Amino acid sequence: MRWARRLSKACDVDCDFYALQVVLIHGLSTPSLIWKDVAHTLADSGYRVLLYDLYGRGYTEAPKTEYNAALYSTQLALLMQVVGWSKAIICGVSMVS
């Protein structure tokens, strides 16, 4: 819970709606489940949370392609487009951060 409060305090007083949208991205050696408790805490605090597995990790397909920052950036951009977000707070661990 303290973590969610710190995020909300990081905004200016004139925080816009997008500050309440958070994307949680796991590292390359762990699935998105590592964020499960944080995602619930943020959602319970009023944040909209996007939690997903990177290609080739967790429950996603593993396309036959080169795995690099461009692939993962594109994946995130497409997911944000699908949910209708143009901005969000991005939180990552490991190489993703």
Side-chain angles (χ1 to χ4, degrees):
M1 188 68 145
R2 283 182 286 159
W3 196 78
R5 280 193 214 114
R6 270 190 241 133
L7 274 179
S8 63
K9 288 179 182 175
C11 298
D12 293 330
V13 174
D14 296 327
C15 239
D16 63 16
F17 176 75
Y18 299 110
L20 297 177
Q21 298 175 164
V22 179
V23 179
L24 303 173
I25 308 173
H26 62 84
L28 294 181
S29 64
T30 57
S32 62
L33 287 175
I34 65 161
W35 287 110
K36 181 181 168 191
D37 293 336
V38 173
H40 285 288
T41 300
L42 288 169
D44 290 345
S45 298
Y47 289 86
R48 297 171 67 199
V49 179
L50 176 59
L51 179 62
Y52 67 99
D53 283 316
L54 296 170
Y55 286 131
R57 306 285 185 237
Y59 296 106
T60 64
E61 294 181 15
K64 293 185 185 223
T65 187
E66 182 179 343
Y67 289 84
N68 56 31
L71 175 71
Y72 295 126
S73 296
T74 300
Q75 181 186 19
L76 173 58
L78 291 171
L79 286 169
M80 287 181 65
Q81 183 178 32
V82 166
V83 297
W85 295 4
S86 61
K87 297 180 189 177
I89 296 169
I90 309 293
C91 300
V93 297
S94 186
M95 184 184 98
V96 176
S97 60

